[in-house]
């Protein structure tokens, strides 16, 4: 069985619990995950024993090549093709992705539904949330290999560029050198716009690189990632040019201790909240609890932020096969900040670190 056929079967195994006899998949990354088709328009229509990829003339040939597990239907217009498909497969309860469908698209679903109902076929539209996303939280071996490649690219690009940073470089110049290095290593793109926050800008967790010049001794937070065959890496390192200040050493040490504690102690069966607390307890104990405002981490794969969520108040359990970031940070307004981020996979109940970019040691 192909990896894709296995993913389709996993989705079908949820149908009974969802109370549907077919799913219409509209989200770009879910469509790619469940079919292999990387085009940016199209619908997957999946029943217990059939799989149809409906797309327009721009993509039908590509879809035929990339999605051999599907019958490819060429469609035009809006959803005028849907009633015939529903009738062909006798679908009575159609699941759709409520977390992706716009109000406008839902209205169009309703028009299509009405058309089927007027033809005397009863149809219920069943909203579902997080179903393919839940499957995507677990990476198969093909996915792990692609994710590892995207991580390796970011690791190498960081190591290469970190060596070149000097006082007087702007954040933008560093970000550009990272972008060039990531592309030269074979990435199709960045996985998100690179964050380079220096000095007080490092206190803004998602500062975008700008024209500020690097000064000696201040913290520089670099958060970057590569996209390789769809898979995204996400890496943060904090560096300093020249002598480190005492405050930097204390903050850095605390963040590193929090990160290493979480990596060593996180286990399958813990909730996202349990995992978040492993690092948070270290930071609170050091007196910086209010300066760690974001969550510990998030899943990473076809999207840079996806399930599982590793955050306080998340009761969902972490399980073997899941990949996620561990990225504590401390941010002190007007001074700067430190964040350190790695991607891990849970295997045999424990975390295996996939990122290997160097970290400064104090
Ligand atoms: N790059 C944003 C994050 O680390 O989640
Ligand atoms: Mn990041
Ligand atoms: Mn992240």
């Amino acid at each position: 069985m192909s990896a894709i056929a296995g993913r389709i079967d996993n989705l079908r195994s949820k149908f009974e619990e969802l109370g549907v006899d077919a799913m219409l998949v509209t989200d770009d990354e879910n469509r790619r995950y469940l079919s292999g088709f990387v085009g940016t328009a199209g619908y997957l229509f999946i029943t217990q024993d059939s799989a149809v990829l409906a797309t327009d003339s721009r993509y039908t040939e590509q879809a035929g090549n990339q999605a051999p597990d599907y019958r490819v239907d060429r469609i035009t217009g809006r959803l005028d093709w849907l009633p015939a498909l529903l009738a062909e497969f006798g679908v009575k309860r159609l699941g759709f992705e409520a977390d992706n469908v716009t109000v406008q698209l839902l209205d169009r679903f309703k028009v299509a539904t009405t058309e089927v109902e007027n033809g005397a076929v009863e149809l219920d539209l069943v909203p579902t949330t997080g179903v393919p996303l839940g499957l995507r939280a677990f990476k198969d071996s093909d996915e792990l290999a692609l994710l590892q490649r995207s991580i390796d690219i970011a690791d190498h690009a960081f190591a290469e560029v970190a060596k070149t940073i000097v006082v007087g470089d702007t954040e933008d110049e560093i970000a550009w050198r990272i972008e060039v290095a990531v592309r030269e290593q074979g990435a199709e793109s960045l996985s998100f716009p690179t964050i380079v926050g220096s000095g007080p800008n490092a206190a803004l967790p998602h500062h975008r690189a700008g024209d500020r010049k690097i000064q000696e001794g201040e913290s520089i937070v670099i958060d970057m990632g590569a996209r390789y065959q769809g898979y995204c890496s996400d890496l943060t390192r904090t560096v300093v040019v020249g002598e480190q200040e005492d405050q930097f050493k204390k903050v850095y040490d605390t963040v590193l201790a929090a990160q290493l504690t979480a990596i060593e102690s996180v286990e399958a069966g813990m909730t996202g909240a349990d995992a978040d607390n492993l690092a948070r307890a270290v930071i609170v104990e050091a007196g910086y609890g209010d300066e760690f405002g974001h969550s510990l981490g998030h899943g990473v794969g076809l999207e840079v932020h996806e399930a599982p969520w590793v955050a306080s108040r998340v009761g969902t359990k972490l399980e073997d096969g899941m990949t996620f970031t561990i990225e504590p940070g401390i941010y002190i307004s007007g001074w700067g900040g430190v964040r350190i981020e790695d991607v891990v996979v849970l295997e045999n109940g424990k975390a295996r670190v996939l990122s290997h970019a160097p970290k400064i040691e104090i």
Side-chain angles (χ1 to χ4, degrees):
M1 185 189 286
S2 70
I4 297 291
R7 294 174 195 174
I8 299 170
D9 271 0
N10 288 341
L11 180 69
R12 287 176 173 143
S13 73
K14 305 276 181 204
F15 281 11
E16 194 175 336
E17 175 190 329
L18 296 169
V20 302
D21 45 22
M23 272 290 293
L24 190 64
V25 175
T26 47
D27 174 80
D28 285 352
E29 302 308 338
N30 291 342
R31 185 176 58 236
R32 176 179 186 145
Y33 174 77
L34 287 164
S35 71
F37 169 57
V38 306
T40 54
Y43 301 82
L44 303 184
F45 179 88
I46 298 171
T47 70
Q48 277 299 357
D49 44 28
S50 62
V52 177
L53 195 171
T55 190
D56 64 73
S57 63
R58 294 170 300 169
Y59 290 117
T60 42
E61 185 173 342
Q62 177 184 337
N65 294 334
Q66 293 177 334
D69 296 278
Y70 285 74
R71 179 181 101 187
V72 176
D73 282 6
R74 177 171 160 169
I75 58 172
T76 52
R78 297 193 165 167
L79 283 176
D80 44 4
W81 47 273
L82 185 56
L85 215 48
L86 292 167
E88 178 182 350
F89 293 101
V91 172
K92 302 224 166 12
R93 291 181 61 80
L94 177 67
F96 69 94
E97 296 183 283
D99 41 3
N100 172 259
V101 166
T102 60
V103 174
Q104 184 187 51
L105 187 56
L106 184 59
D107 281 344
R108 290 179 188 162
F109 284 169
K110 286 180 181 158
V111 170
T113 306
T114 308
E115 201 173 315
V116 174
E117 282 173 349
N118 289 345
V121 180
E122 256 180 61
L123 179 80
D124 285 330
L125 278 173
V126 181
T128 71
T129 50
V131 180
L133 209 55
L135 303 177
R136 280 170 44 196
F138 298 88
K139 304 301 187 281
D140 59 38
S141 56
D142 292 357
E143 293 185 284
L144 262 187
L146 296 174
L147 184 60
Q148 183 68 66
R149 180 87 177 95
S150 82
I151 290 170
D152 291 346
I153 290 171
D155 284 350
H156 286 123
F158 169 80
E160 210 172 273
V161 172
K163 289 185 292 203
T164 70
I165 300 173
V166 293
V167 168
D169 281 347
T170 66
E171 295 168 351
D172 266 337
E173 286 164 351
I174 297 167
W176 174 242
R177 298 209 290 274
I178 286 170
E179 185 159 351
V180 171
V182 156
R183 295 280 281 120
E184 282 178 352
Q185 306 264 352
E188 65 207 39
S189 65
L190 298 174
S191 51
F192 57 91
T194 303
I195 294 166
V196 180
S198 62
N201 290 343
L204 313 175
H206 280 183
H207 172 73
R208 285 277 286 274
D211 59 6
R212 188 178 182 281
K213 288 189 194 311
I214 304 299
Q215 296 171 27
E216 183 160 345
E218 64 188 12
S219 51
I220 310 166
V221 171
I222 299 178
D223 188 349
M224 54 175 286
R227 195 155 200 240
Y228 181 78
Q229 292 191 26
Y231 284 80
C232 299
S233 49
D234 191 9
L235 171 78
T236 306
R237 291 291 182 263
T238 303
V239 299
V240 170
V241 180
E243 192 71 12
Q244 300 151 5
E245 314 160 5
D246 286 346
Q247 183 170 15
F248 178 84
K249 288 181 190 169
K250 178 159 186 246
V251 172
Y252 189 93
D253 232 12
T254 303
V255 173
L256 185 58
Q259 203 221 15
L260 295 178
T261 299
I263 289 171
E264 279 158 24
S265 317
V266 67
E267 283 178 7
M270 285 182 172
T271 63
D274 296 334
D276 180 277
N277 197 48
L278 295 171
R280 197 166 300 279
V282 175
I283 291 177
V284 168
E285 174 70 26
Y288 293 112
D290 287 343
E291 283 72 42
F292 176 24
H294 58 72
S295 37
L296 181 63
H298 52 85
V300 58
L302 284 171
E303 288 173 281
V304 73
H305 296 126
E306 60 181 41
W309 308 106
V310 187
S312 48
R313 295 192 293 277
V314 171
T316 315
K317 288 203 161 78
L318 299 170
E319 294 180 54
D320 272 354
M322 290 181 168
T323 53
F324 53 90
T325 66
I326 296 190
E327 52 174 307
I330 293 175
Y331 310 93
I332 300 174
S333 180
W335 173 73
V338 171
R339 178 166 66 258
I340 307 172
E341 175 177 31
D342 287 305
V343 177
V344 303
V345 58
L346 280 186
E347 281 174 356
N348 303 314
K350 300 289 287 175
R352 178 165 69 86
V353 182
L354 301 179
S355 354
H356 301 291
K359 294 175 190 171
I360 46 175
E361 286 163 26
I362 295 185

